[in-house]
Amino acid sequence: MDRESGGRPRKVLSEAQVRSFESRYGVTLPEDYRTFLTSVGDGGPGPYHGIWRLSRSYGPRDETWWPGYLATPFPFTRAVGPDDLGDDYDEDGLVPGSMIISDMGCGAFVRLVVTGAAGGQVWFDTLGVDDRLTPGPAFGDWYGAWAAGGPQADTA
């Protein structure tokens, strides 16, 4: 549950607010996520600890997005594990083109890829736990499975 919203969806964003974010970061958000923001709410209940507000999506590890961070294509299309990363990689430099949308707990996050071949997919970011990035479904499918009370599309 999203503790900040008290378990309720937050107020929806206007198209102008979403366009402002997109313009600021040089991206076009995936359509199903845009629809969520403008029709359901700017965060609220969802898988794990809920869906973050758009304004919170660039933290905690992403507070220092460099210019072009979101516009830089996400570099992966398949799962990434410790053998793929080497010993000395930069977690923050590894995931451009994506933003955190949910906290899985214990240093793990759900990311939404906004640019690159995997654009629109959620990815399970357990880099801080076990050095893995695992692809998931499109945002709408992931959130829809949770909202329908069906199989939780929230396992990495």
Side-chain angles (χ1 to χ4, degrees):
M1 163 159 68
D2 174 31
R3 292 180 215 129
E4 291 180 4
S5 71
R8 296 177 308 278
R10 295 179 154 284
K11 183 178 170 185
V12 298
L13 295 179
S14 68
E15 281 292 329
Q17 288 170 305
V18 174
R19 280 193 307 270
S20 174
F21 178 90
E22 292 174 328
S23 177
R24 179 177 181 187
Y25 293 105
V27 299
T28 299
L29 294 174
E31 193 59 39
D32 52 0
Y33 182 62
R34 288 178 111 262
T35 300
F36 176 85
L37 294 171
T38 60
S39 301
V40 177
D42 181 19
Y48 300 109
H49 296 290
I51 306 298
W52 286 7
R53 295 181 325 271
L54 182 60
S55 64
R56 184 178 179 203
S57 65
Y58 36 92
R61 288 199 328 233
D62 296 337
E63 311 90 357
T64 56
W65 280 354
W66 61 83
Y69 175 86
L70 277 185
T72 300
F74 185 75
F76 305 106
T77 57
R78 63 173 183 78
V80 177
D83 293 340
D84 303 308
L85 299 173
D87 294 333
D88 193 29
Y89 69 91
D90 171 22
E91 286 179 30
D92 296 323
L94 195 61
V95 289
S98 71
M99 58 191 208
I100 295 172
I101 59 168
S102 184
D103 183 344
M104 295 168 62
C106 300
F109 301 94
V110 177
R111 291 185 165 276
L112 176 64
V113 176
V114 297
T115 52
Q121 284 184 299
V122 295
W123 278 61
F124 305 100
D125 173 352
T126 58
L127 291 169
V129 179
D130 64 4
D131 299 326
R132 295 185 188 285
L133 284 169
T134 308
F139 173 83
D141 293 338
W142 174 73
Y143 187 79
W146 174 85
Q152 297 294 308
D154 63 3
T155 57

